[in-house]
Amino acid sequence: MGEVLQIETLRTVAPFFNRIIKPPQSTVFGLKIDSMQPIPGTGIWVWRVSGAPEPLDAGGAKNADGHQRKRRAETQMDAFVHQRYYPMIEAHEFSGFFTSARTIFATSLWMADRGGGSGGQPVHTLLPTTALAFELRIQDDPNLPKVLRPHTDEQLLHNVFGVRFAGGRFVRSSVPAFDADQLWCKIEFIGEPTSEWRNGRLTSYRCIEGVLEHEDPPAMVSINLWGEDVAVARLFKSGYYIGLVCPVVKPRAPDTPIEVEFGSQTITFVTCSIRRKASTAAASQFSIAQNESGFLDYRRYAHRVQLCQCRKDMINLTLIARIVAVSENLPYVDSAGTLDRYAVRIDDSTA
């Protein structure tokens, strides 16, 4: 509950050339940056994009590169680069970032004719958008297409976010070398779009709840999206990893969840759900360590929320709290019999 049903990601730019039906603004596109260059005589950068390969578990008959078999040559088109991403072009931490079959996920896309085509022909170009996330890839992902395996991002994850993937999750690898605020978390829950008052105006709002699973112990984080930034939530699902560079970190009281917002320089990265390779061992929903006394130790178990983060219609929660009161028996009685029932009052540092 709590997530809007997402339609399939379109991994082609062909719909933009349909003269009758244009893709709706809510469409999510998976695109590959084939090249990048400035428009001569200007300081404007343009990507040349095409459809990105699909993960190997997406269904349908595919080659090892992730493309459908017998697929025709992919349509390409230009896309203006938003100025927010210009610093990445020169930053040494992102050296080679745009020359490695880089995949982006984007929504709220518009196409326009920028003019200057040969013989007066239109030059169809996607307008710049910040409802965009750069995909980061790791070698441990069994569904990574063969064509993308030479281009993974372990070094960038280490340098920018200070994490690495090991043992089925991200762990701390070092202090990030990148000199900017940054955040790397696993998405636990995506709230419904709403409207709330902000600065005296009713503003679109959406919240993403995540967990910093590389911290010890894991910590919760709330990513608040306002106004036009709400659209970026369409790019994600529970179980994805999201990275933010230059988020706005909100002041907080001790023992309360971290809160961040998007700012004018925030850059978004994503790693889609990483499924482990098939195993002959019996599947389990739980992986909880035991301490030396044999008790279940939830300290490293990240899939939990605090009381202040509980929302209507959430299910299958793990809460760690202190029981402060238990009521007398309040039996539930119906035609099938009687069921003992007790009310429990619980408390944590956020309640």
Side-chain angles (χ1 to χ4, degrees), residues 200-275:
R201 298 176 57 186
L202 195 61
T203 306
S204 301
Y205 171 76
R206 200 166 187 185
C207 182
I208 298 175
E209 304 284 359
V211 62
L212 308 175
E213 66 176 9
H214 55 278
E215 298 291 348
D216 187 11
M220 299 301 298
V221 59
S222 295
I223 302 173
N224 299 313
L225 305 175
W226 297 93
E228 63 180 17
D229 292 324
V230 167
V232 79
R234 301 187 201 125
L235 309 178
F236 310 126
K237 297 179 182 179
S238 294
Y240 282 20
Y241 291 89
I242 179 174
L244 301 179
V245 169
C246 299
V248 177
V249 182
K250 307 297 288 183
R252 66 186 181 107
D255 299 322
T256 59
I258 300 167
E259 285 195 50
V260 302
E261 297 179 356
F262 276 46
S264 61
Q265 301 300 316
T266 304
I267 301 172
T268 309
F269 303 85
V270 64
T271 294
C272 299
S273 301
I274 303 170
R275 299 171 179 83

Side-chain angles (χ1 to χ4, degrees), residues 112-130:
D113 172 19
R114 76 171 189 256
S118 176
Q121 292 296 311
V123 180
H124 297 300
T125 307
L126 295 175
L127 297 179
T129 180
T130 56

Side-chain angles (χ1 to χ4, degrees), residues 290-346:
Q290 292 179 302
N291 65 12
E292 61 276 5
S293 301
F295 294 101
L296 293 177
D297 182 1
Y298 283 83
R299 187 174 64 91
R300 296 295 313 174
Y301 187 68
H303 301 279
R304 64 184 189 236
V305 297
Q306 295 172 307
L307 295 181
C308 68
Q309 296 170 300
C310 291
R311 300 290 187 271
K312 182 178 180 294
D313 295 331
M314 281 186 174
I315 61 174
N316 300 328
L317 301 181
T318 297
L319 293 172
I320 297 180
R322 180 177 66 256
I323 297 176
V324 297
V326 180
S327 75
E328 297 180 355
N329 188 13
L330 305 170
Y332 176 79
V333 181
D334 63 11
S335 59
T338 301
L339 178 68
D340 289 340
R341 183 175 58 171
Y342 297 86
V344 179
R345 178 176 294 168
I346 59 178

